[in-house]
Amino acid sequence: MSYGWRVLLLCWALPLLADSAPVFTNFSHSLALQPYHQDYLIAAANQPVRVSTRLLVRVNQAFVADIPIPDITGPARILYQSPTLDYRLLQLRDGADLFAAMDAVRRQPGVELVQPDLLQLERRGYHSQQAVLSDSRIDVIEQLQQLRDRLWQGSRGQGIRIALIDDGVDFRSEALGHPDTLFQYDVGSQQADASPRSGRDRHGTALALLWFARQPALQPGDLAGLVPEAGLIAIRQPDTWTSHTLLAFQLAALAGADVINCSWTSSLLLEPVADVVRDLALHGRGGKGTAIVFAAGNDGQEIEPGQSEAALADALVVGATDSRGHLLAHSNRGGSVDFYTLGSELPVSLPGLRHFSGTSLAAGLVTAMTALLLAQQPDLSLSQLQQQLLSLEGIAPGAGSQPFSGGH
């Protein structure tokens, strides 16, 4: 059953569940939280979640941050704030009833949306795990190599800031060298250090190598080190706490990101994340629109409306092909996918990139080409940038490659 039909079925059955299951609103749909082991299950999406003692609230100018609210301790903390969007985080008192507190917060002036801060109970879906044998005719690879060489005649990314929201970057890597790291932060530990925290945290380092690998570490023909003169904003945020995701985007915006790479998706798209992506796409980069690149995912499925971040119309969503330009069997596809490019393994000698593939790789390549285009034409609007990307060899249009709406 599709996500949309599950939501409709839940809305029909909601009166039967109201007495037993707390409810919150997501995109105007009421989602019930049913007890599930020690946690909860969002029945409409069959998604287990952990519920914190925190509330996310979208507010407007009528909201008073320090007004006393029953069962809420301390003032509301800013999670994401721009001239057009304001999300705050509220902390419950010890022993408070989360859902009673949600009702109290909803009644406050200036509150537009209230959701519990949720952790989707699975590691964030990074999309680079399936290796694919490349065809001997490396048409797309040659196209991308020629494209890189042509764009490098104008710039190698100088002046452009790429934000990487991922599982960390190993700055000790000799192949990475010393990229121009403008800012780094670990959202979970609240430390100014985006280094990996475990041996399995290699995904972000692979993307950093794709963009910033030292040229002396590369062999002729390697497709890596694509934007060596760009600046890096490294934000370690590998979990799915909604509050952490919003804060990661806020930090990227405050650090002046021109492009934000998100080579991941969550199992369930939540409204606060969609709000922030849309706000940055419409108003970021001085009103020209921040380019936010998401991987389509490696499930071999059609992306349903509202399913995950890969369904967002305001993002640049990238699927994966083999070296002949054929859609990879494990690449997600659908009406929200803007571009397709290489997702089979790179011709590269670096150990950290040798087996990097899938839609994560494809999204990283589009991020690199986006940065090279903006380095030459920094005044491009997001709509103009999208059209420029569609004209590049090695990048094929997807069904979602229509001009952005909203005046940018």
Side-chain angles (χ1 to χ4, degrees), residues 16-330:
L16 302 177
L17 297 171
D19 292 336
S20 59
V23 171
F24 71 95
T25 300
N26 194 51
F27 299 111
S28 301
H29 299 296
S30 295
L31 300 183
L33 287 165
Q34 298 178 335
Y36 179 78
H37 302 300
Q38 301 299 314
D39 296 292
Y40 287 92
L41 181 74
I42 299 177
N46 194 30
Q47 174 63 47
V49 295
R50 182 157 298 154
V51 177
S52 72
T53 57
R54 303 180 295 270
L55 296 177
L56 288 88
V57 291
R58 187 179 69 219
V59 301
N60 58 38
Q61 293 180 343
F63 180 71
V64 180
D66 56 358
I67 189 172
I69 304 175
D71 290 328
I72 301 297
T73 178
R77 293 169 47 199
I78 295 172
L79 269 182
Y80 179 90
Q81 191 174 65
S82 74
T84 50
L85 185 64
D86 194 339
Y87 268 98
R88 307 292 180 98
L89 189 68
L90 300 177
Q91 178 66 51
L92 271 66
R93 300 183 190 279
D94 291 341
D97 184 313
L98 174 69
F99 302 101
M102 286 178 63
D103 289 336
V105 171
R106 283 192 193 100
R107 295 192 293 267
Q108 301 302 311
V111 172
E112 299 176 345
L113 177 73
V114 184
Q115 286 192 1
D117 190 12
L118 301 177
L119 175 70
Q120 300 179 40
L121 289 178
E122 58 185 25
R123 186 173 170 84
R124 175 171 276 167
Y126 293 107
H127 300 304
S128 62
Q129 303 308 312
Q130 292 178 283
V132 180
L133 293 177
S134 299
D135 189 271
S136 59
R137 292 168 290 180
I138 54 174
D139 301 338
V140 176
I141 293 173
E142 289 179 347
Q143 286 182 316
L144 289 170
Q145 290 169 331
Q146 293 169 5
L147 173 61
R148 171 202 59 193
D149 294 342
R150 178 170 63 80
L151 292 176
W152 273 9
Q153 295 176 12
S155 172
R156 298 192 177 194
Q158 186 174 18
I160 298 303
R161 300 180 174 211
I162 301 174
L164 174 62
I165 301 177
D166 216 282
D167 65 0
V169 176
D170 185 0
F171 292 100
R172 300 170 301 175
S173 169
E174 293 184 3
L176 185 59
H178 303 283
D180 183 14
T181 305
L182 306 170
F183 177 79
Q184 58 172 308
Y185 194 77
D186 181 82
V187 174
S189 67
Q190 300 181 22
Q191 296 178 354
D193 180 6
S195 300
R197 296 294 193 270
S198 74
R200 63 180 182 176
D201 292 347
R202 302 172 182 170
H203 190 265
T205 302
L207 285 161
L209 286 168
L210 180 66
W211 304 327
F212 300 107
R214 294 188 307 114
Q215 299 306 307
L218 301 174
Q219 299 296 320
D222 282 356
L223 190 62
L226 299 176
V227 280
E229 296 180 7
L232 173 62
I233 300 165
I235 301 173
R236 185 178 183 273
Q237 207 303 83
D239 64 48
T240 58
W241 283 113
T242 315
S243 61
H244 288 180
T245 302
L246 265 58
L247 180 56
F249 280 114
Q250 176 76 100
L251 294 171
L254 291 175
D258 300 290
V259 191
I260 303 176
N261 187 95
C262 305
S263 285
W264 47 263
T265 54
S266 308
S267 297
L268 176 64
L269 177 62
L270 293 172
E271 187 171 350
V273 177
D275 282 347
V276 166
V277 170
R278 180 164 180 78
D279 187 67
L280 287 168
L282 287 172
H283 306 292
R285 205 165 50 93
K288 296 182 289 291
T290 304
I292 305 174
V293 183
F294 274 98
N298 289 342
D299 306 304
Q301 297 177 352
E302 190 84 9
I303 301 169
E304 299 177 14
Q307 179 180 353
S308 73
E309 292 86 355
L312 291 171
D314 299 294
L316 302 178
V317 180
V318 187
T321 72
D322 64 17
S323 59
R324 297 177 62 189
H326 298 153
L327 179 68
L328 292 180
H330 66 258

